[in-house]
Amino acid sequence: MSVTMKSPREIELMREAGKILAKVHEELGKALKPGMSTYEIDRLGEELIRSFGCEPSFKNYNGYPASICVSVNEEVVHGIPDRRRIIEEGDLVSLDAGVIYKGYHSDAARTHGIGEITEDARLLIECTRQSFFEGIRYAVAGNHLHQISNAIGTYAESFGYGVVRDLCGHGIGAHLHEDPEIPNFRQLRRGIKLRPGMTLAIEPMINLGTADVVWLDDDWTVVSEDLSLSAHYENTILITEGAPEILTLTESEIAAGV
Ligand code: MF3
Ligand code: CO
């Protein structure tokens, strides 16, 4: 598949898909409480997505059995919601979700600390989020894709964190995963030239310890090999002539200048 450039009409639909997903994340973040199961988070997430007239894009994607990926502590991504998995005070909970609005996708992830978390955990979440913003400073038409990758990786590695290499960000649009692949670490090649109308899902996944990951027997859940804590931050963005437009932020996140 080649890299697609979106028309003004497609961009409008992706903006709407993005706004809706931002609200879903906001509501899920408010709902997260100790004692809740990861299954309940998925149920609430799917309900919210459908209440906005959207479809959950992850459900049945390559056989994934839920609408929200819920990954706890050492789980990096693609945790499968489970009635028996109960969220506890001190946990790190990464929520990854995607919606389809009138045929167009948005994709975003947030990591939440539950109640009191350690300072190490707080810094990991903050740095993972910041690495995304370091990366998208280069997400401008005329630049090359891997300038984004380099900036994310260099920033996160400067803290001694393990930047996950086995999973990448991606183009997004009429499909959840489109070209190009977007690595989160330094590349030898410069990557494609960025053009206005490209829409990208940029998603650093950062571990407190080793960058190495393993897949569990459920064939989905990715965990850090040393079982160290992991954080994830993802937004869908639009390349413009100037600063990129982040499609998956809430009004209040935009107002806060995140
Ligand atoms: N944000 C993840 C990704 O871009 C979500 C995919 S999970 C799946 O790969 F369940 F849909 F596979
Ligand atoms: Co994604």
Side-chain angles (χ1 to χ4, degrees), residues 217-229:
D217 284 343
D218 62 17
D219 285 337
W220 279 105
T221 312
V222 180
V223 300
S224 57
E225 192 176 46
D226 60 3
L227 304 184
S228 63
L229 293 175

Side-chain angles (χ1 to χ4, degrees), residues 107 170 177 201 203 234:
D107 185 3
H170 49 93
H177 293 136
E203 50 179 320
E234 175 180 26

Side-chain angles (χ1 to χ4, degrees), residues 9-21:
R9 176 189 155 267
E10 292 178 298
I11 289 170
E12 260 325 301
L13 296 176
M14 291 196 64
R15 281 199 182 106
E16 197 53 35
K19 273 189 203 146
I20 290 168
L21 182 53

Side-chain angles (χ1 to χ4, degrees), residues 49-248:
I49 290 168
R50 295 196 189 280
S51 75
F52 290 116
C54 292
E55 295 284 323
S57 56
F58 296 178
K59 195 148 200 181
N60 301 319
Y61 184 84
N62 292 335
Y64 184 75
S67 297
I68 314 288
C69 297
V70 187
S71 308
V72 184
N73 295 335
E74 75 279 5
E75 296 172 354
V76 179
V77 286
H78 304 169
I80 299 178
D82 186 332
R83 283 189 173 81
R84 294 159 305 182
R85 183 74 197 251
I86 307 297
I87 301 301
E88 291 169 13
E89 170 99 15
D91 280 344
L92 257 59
V93 179
S94 298
L95 303 181
D96 190 354
V99 310
I100 312 171
Y101 176 74
K102 298 190 180 167
Y104 285 83
H105 290 252
S106 58
D107 185 3
R110 301 284 183 265
T111 298
H112 301 276
I114 306 300
E116 284 269 312
I117 58 172
T118 64
E119 183 64 3
D120 275 356
R122 195 188 64 73
L123 287 171
L124 176 68
I125 293 174
E126 173 54 26
C127 166
T128 302
R129 180 185 152 284
Q130 188 58 34
S131 72
F132 166 89
F133 287 96
E134 296 297 324
I136 66 159
R137 286 160 50 167
Y138 298 90
V140 173
N143 277 354
H144 287 264
L145 180 71
H146 294 163
Q147 291 179 264
I148 303 173
S149 305
N150 295 350
I152 293 172
T154 302
Y155 180 79
E157 279 169 7
S158 75
F159 293 83
Y161 294 143
V163 178
V164 174
R165 294 171 176 244
D166 292 354
L167 296 143
C168 293
H170 49 93
I172 181 167
H175 306 272
L176 173 58
H177 293 136
E178 298 187 358
D179 282 342
E181 270 201 353
I182 311 173
N184 294 306
F185 61 99
R186 188 154 205 91
Q187 302 294 303
L188 295 175
R189 295 168 185 273
R190 62 186 186 168
I192 60 160
K193 194 174 190 170
L194 299 174
R195 296 180 196 284
M198 287 181 179
T199 43
L200 308 172
I202 297 177
E203 50 179 320
M205 290 152 269
I206 314 281
N207 299 342
L208 199 50
T210 180
D212 294 337
V213 296
V214 292
W215 269 256
L216 297 186
D217 284 343
D218 62 17
D219 285 337
W220 279 105
T221 312
V222 180
V223 300
S224 57
E225 192 176 46
D226 60 3
L227 304 184
S228 63
L229 293 175
S230 187
H232 187 196
Y233 186 83
E234 175 180 26
N235 284 307
T236 299
I237 70 163
L238 168 70
I239 302 296
T240 74
E241 296 286 356
E245 200 176 311
I246 308 177
L247 304 182
T248 44

